[in-house]
Amino acid sequence: MSVTDELLANNARYAETFSGPLPLPPAKHVAVVACMDARLDVYRILGLDEGEAHVIRNAGGVVTDDEIRSLAISQRLLGTTEIILIHHTDCGMLTFTDDGFRQQIQTETGIKPEWAAEAFPDVDDDVRQSIARIRANPFVPNKDSIRGFVFDVATGKLNEVV
Amino acid sequence: MSVTDELLANNARYAETFSGPLPLPPAKHVAVVACMDARLDVYRILGLDEGEAHVIRNAGGVVTDDEIRSLAISQRLLGTTEIILIHHTDCGMLTFTDDGFRQQIQTETGIKPEWAAEAFPDVDDDVRQSIARIRANPFVPNKDSIRGFVFDVATGKLNEVV
């Protein structure tokens, strides 16, 4: 049995006590952008219930065109107004460089990715970078509440980056 | 008090009983790509514990360059081998068109986004499209287990798309 099959068995149990459907727009009008790291259970970290917030995640919790696309849809079509950014301690993005990663892929496949890997040497600085990218973007309309945090994987605490 | 402040108060309670840190690589060697929809609590839907799977999310759960970047990092640097794609019923991406959304932004801001909004008229077809994009990509090495599902927001069940 694959892990996927095992998780599907979990889903069958989840559905037994599920009650839906909830409305489509997020009830708390918040969008979260967080790292894909397995230790970040975003709903539990923020005490979110189903239906309350959009959750956008990728390697690093960085802001690229696809997060801008998601935030533009979230705010313009589904009414969110606040943005919460979450990076974390002990992040995999601190362990490599863009040059090294893209060269490794070129060596193995013969093709160099046309995108940046978005590795970063300092997690606080990259939270500030993510906020700056949103602030500078013309397609995300609601910028009054954009706050960035580093989740401590040892303590479970969100520490705000100023 | 903003919603962000309210969620930070929730986090303080979360941290009180938190025990960490867990290891960085996902214990179940799985990466999930899911829609950002607020009703999808991915950890609960799949019965995932903290530390078990990467979770990548965006508007629609579609596969663009940024999801390829995240999957490449997940598989090449952090050892995941299985991919689970999750779209869902009643998705916001079914309610608009790329042309209309990009035109609306151009009308309001004077600038047309240089990216596709990735709206889709059929959720099952778009799951197949996401799988096809991963299969065709040279940078994601492990393609033996890529399975796609539609989460039913009324029943809580994952239905596999073939």
Side-chain angles (χ1 to χ4, degrees):
Chain A
M1 191 162 91
S2 69
V3 172
T4 301
D5 287 320
E6 176 195 323
L7 300 181
L8 287 174
N10 291 347
N11 174 250
R13 280 193 294 280
Y14 175 77
E16 280 171 16
T17 57
F18 185 86
S19 75
L22 291 167
L24 170 52
K28 290 203 181 289
H29 310 290
V30 173
V32 180
V33 180
C35 184
M36 70 178 179
D37 189 279
R39 297 165 293 184
L40 273 63
D41 182 347
V42 172
Y43 284 65
R44 247 41 56 188
I45 287 172
L46 293 171
L48 286 167
D49 284 328
E50 287 149 343
E52 293 190 333
H54 282 145
V55 181
I56 300 158
R57 301 182 63 171
N58 66 21
V62 301
V63 172
T64 74
D65 273 354
D66 195 51
E67 287 64 53
I68 295 296
R69 178 185 71 84
S70 295
L71 289 170
I73 290 169
S74 176
Q75 293 197 347
R76 291 175 171 277
L77 301 181
L78 294 163
T80 66
T81 53
E82 296 182 39
I83 297 174
I84 296 174
L85 298 162
I86 304 179
H87 286 38
H88 63 96
T89 58
D90 190 36
C91 186
M93 305 299 283
L94 301 162
T95 66
F96 66 98
T97 65
D98 268 46
D99 282 352
F101 185 66
R102 294 169 74 243
Q103 181 59 55
Q104 175 201 329
I105 291 181
Q106 184 176 3
T107 301
E108 283 178 29
T109 69
I111 305 170
K112 179 177 282 188
E114 62 278 25
W115 32 261
E118 295 283 350
F120 45 78
D122 184 287
V123 66
D124 287 63
D125 277 351
D126 201 75
V127 170
R128 284 185 279 265
Q129 176 61 219
S130 291
I131 293 174
R133 287 182 180 181
I134 296 172
R135 289 217 176 279
N137 191 281
F139 308 129
V140 179
N142 304 319
K143 298 179 180 178
D144 286 345
S145 182
I146 306 173
R147 291 169 65 183
F149 302 88
V150 174
F151 176 76
D152 187 325
V153 298
T155 67
K157 268 198 73 176
L158 289 169
N159 296 303
E160 187 152 15
V161 175
V162 194
Chain B
M1 191 161 90
S2 69
V3 172
T4 301
D5 287 319
E6 176 195 324
L7 300 181
L8 287 175
N10 291 347
N11 174 250
R13 281 192 294 280
Y14 175 77
E16 280 170 14
T17 59
F18 185 86
S19 75
L22 292 166
L24 170 53
K28 290 205 180 290
H29 310 290
V30 173
V32 180
V33 180
C35 183
M36 70 179 180
D37 189 280
R39 298 165 293 182
L40 274 62
D41 182 348
V42 172
Y43 283 66
R44 247 39 57 188
I45 288 172
L46 294 171
L48 285 167
D49 284 327
E50 287 149 340
E52 293 190 332
H54 282 145
V55 180
I56 300 158
R57 302 182 63 171
N58 65 22
V62 301
V63 172
T64 74
D65 273 353
D66 196 51
E67 287 64 52
I68 295 297
R69 178 186 70 85
S70 295
L71 288 170
I73 290 169
S74 176
Q75 293 197 347
R76 290 176 172 277
L77 301 181
L78 293 164
T80 67
T81 54
E82 296 183 38
I83 297 173
I84 296 174
L85 298 162
I86 303 179
H87 286 37
H88 63 96
T89 59
D90 190 36
C91 187
M93 305 299 284
L94 300 162
T95 65
F96 67 99
T97 65
D98 268 45
D99 282 352
F101 185 66
R102 294 168 74 244
Q103 182 59 55
Q104 175 201 330
I105 291 180
Q106 184 177 4
T107 301
E108 284 179 30
T109 69
I111 306 171
K112 180 177 281 190
E114 61 278 24
W115 32 261
E118 295 283 350
F120 46 78
D122 184 286
V123 66
D124 288 62
D125 277 350
D126 201 73
V127 170
R128 283 185 279 264
Q129 177 60 218
S130 291
I131 293 174
R133 288 181 180 184
I134 296 172
R135 289 217 176 280
N137 191 281
F139 308 130
V140 179
N142 304 316
K143 298 180 179 178
D144 286 346
S145 181
I146 306 172
R147 291 168 65 183
F149 302 88
V150 174
F151 176 76
D152 187 325
V153 298
T155 67
K157 268 198 71 174
L158 290 170
N159 295 302
E160 187 152 15
V161 175
V162 194

